[in-house]
Amino acid sequence: MKTTQTKPPILRKCFLLSLLLSLPFFLVLLSLQPKHHHQNTTDPPPEKQSYGSGDLKIRPGYPSYKSYIQRQLKKTLNPKLRELWTTRDWDRKIRVFAIFFQDLKQKRLLSNESKALCIGARVGQEVEALRRIGVSDSVGIDLVPSPPLVMRGDFHNQPFDNETFDFEFSNVFDHALYPDRFVAEIERTLKPGGVCVLHVALSRRSDKYSANDIYSVKPLVEMFKGSEVVHIRGVDGFGLDTEVVFRKKRPIPRS
């Protein structure tokens, strides 16, 4: 009669010990994986979500968040565009952004002491403009990093702690597939009293890589639940015509 062979106790112990020792390694690997916003299976598709009584519409054609990221990367990694951004457009855009930011400094919405973030900064013209006018503690985020000005980051899930920045600027709101998440991350990472400046296109539609179209500032005002509007004005910002500025509310002190 055959008897069932079992592993010696010492081998079982070694096996269990190796599992325990390898667990931290696997946890570290998981922590290094890109963290993107994932749509909940119970949520409606992005284009079915309504904002501001129809004044903000999500464009169709994104069956998954992965497909959305791939489409955004198609523009960001386009070698011809990147060469254009870093050569012919470089100084021109820095000069224009510097004028915008200098005006905000005069309005006391930005200072040299501000810790500033540029969202969707591509190759970093906005960051360079901030640094040239004296706001030295400035950084940008984009899906593709462009050191030393721009680090890797998804604006639907900013890689920063709560209440990190005094000032945040973005002219890529139209690229947000989940605008409410885009805004929530700004409010999360802004300090109380911090300022957010958005440049958007209301009178014309954005480029083919945009994920949404906005027709009034109403959806923005509704989504910035923890902030108040500072001003709304017309601008000429590389195809964007409206500047909307919000200030994050300070907590009401308890009596």
Side-chain angles (χ1 to χ4, degrees):
M1 183 176 67
K2 294 183 179 180
T3 58
T4 303
Q5 293 183 346
T6 59
K7 293 181 179 179
I10 185 66
L11 290 179
R12 288 200 301 271
K13 289 180 179 179
C14 289
F15 176 72
L16 291 173
L17 181 61
S18 65
L19 281 178
L20 290 173
L21 291 175
S22 63
L23 182 59
F25 173 74
F26 287 114
L27 291 176
V28 170
L29 282 180
L30 286 174
S31 69
L32 294 175
Q33 296 300 309
K35 295 180 180 180
H36 295 311
H37 175 76
H38 294 286
Q39 183 183 355
N40 192 310
T41 54
T42 61
D43 290 341
E47 66 268 22
K48 298 296 183 181
Q49 300 187 46
S50 176
Y51 301 90
S53 302
D55 284 350
L56 173 58
K57 296 181 179 179
I58 307 301
R59 293 183 180 181
Y62 296 105
S64 68
Y65 197 69
K66 182 178 180 181
S67 67
Y68 159 77
I69 292 294
Q70 289 174 341
R71 182 164 176 78
Q72 297 305 310
L73 288 175
K74 187 175 180 180
K75 178 177 182 178
T76 305
L77 291 173
N78 185 308
K80 291 184 178 179
L81 286 176
R82 292 191 75 83
E83 181 181 4
L84 183 65
W85 296 334
T86 55
T87 54
R88 193 190 74 183
D89 278 358
W90 180 254
D91 287 326
R92 179 174 67 94
K93 287 195 172 183
I94 289 173
R95 285 195 298 270
V96 173
F97 284 129
I99 293 171
F100 285 138
F101 295 143
Q102 193 66 49
D103 181 70
L104 293 169
K105 286 180 71 175
Q106 292 175 356
K107 290 181 169 64
R108 299 183 183 278
L109 299 171
L110 175 66
S111 73
N112 288 353
E113 290 70 39
S114 296
K115 185 177 179 65
L117 172 67
C118 295
I119 302 166
R122 305 266 191 248
V123 293
Q125 295 107 323
E126 305 95 314
V127 182
E128 179 64 21
L130 282 167
R131 294 183 180 184
R132 289 190 186 184
I133 66 166
V135 188
S136 57
D137 193 359
S138 306
V139 69
I141 58 169
D142 203 272
L143 291 174
V144 178
S146 186
L149 300 176
V150 182
M151 62 181 289
R152 183 183 181 278
D154 182 346
F155 52 52
H156 292 103
N157 189 5
Q158 290 188 23
F160 305 110
D161 293 333
N162 296 348
E163 300 180 4
T164 297
F165 298 100
D166 304 290
F167 177 87
E168 299 192 25
F169 170 80
S170 183
N171 58 2
V172 296
F173 176 81
D174 58 296
H175 287 260
L177 184 65
Y178 297 93
D180 50 350
R181 184 62 183 169
F182 178 97
V183 170
E185 282 296 276
I186 290 174
E187 290 199 317
R188 179 183 69 80
T189 55
L190 266 182
K191 298 176 183 178
V195 170
C196 168
V197 178
L198 297 182
H199 284 183
V200 296
L202 300 184
S203 62
R204 55 172 291 181
R205 301 287 57 84
S206 303
D207 66 35
K208 64 180 181 180
Y209 293 98
S210 298
N212 70 69
D213 294 298
I214 187 168
Y215 300 91
S216 79
V217 299
K218 181 180 178 181
L220 293 175
V221 175
E222 290 178 352
M223 286 186 287
F224 274 89
K225 297 180 175 64
S227 305
E228 57 188 4
V229 177
V230 176
H231 75 240
I232 301 169
R233 67 171 183 170
V235 294
D236 183 8
F238 307 109
L240 306 178
D241 54 37
T242 305
E243 178 179 271
V244 189
V245 179
F246 294 91
R247 188 188 298 277
K248 184 175 176 180
K249 296 176 183 177
R250 299 180 186 273
I252 300 174
R254 296 180 179 178
S255 56

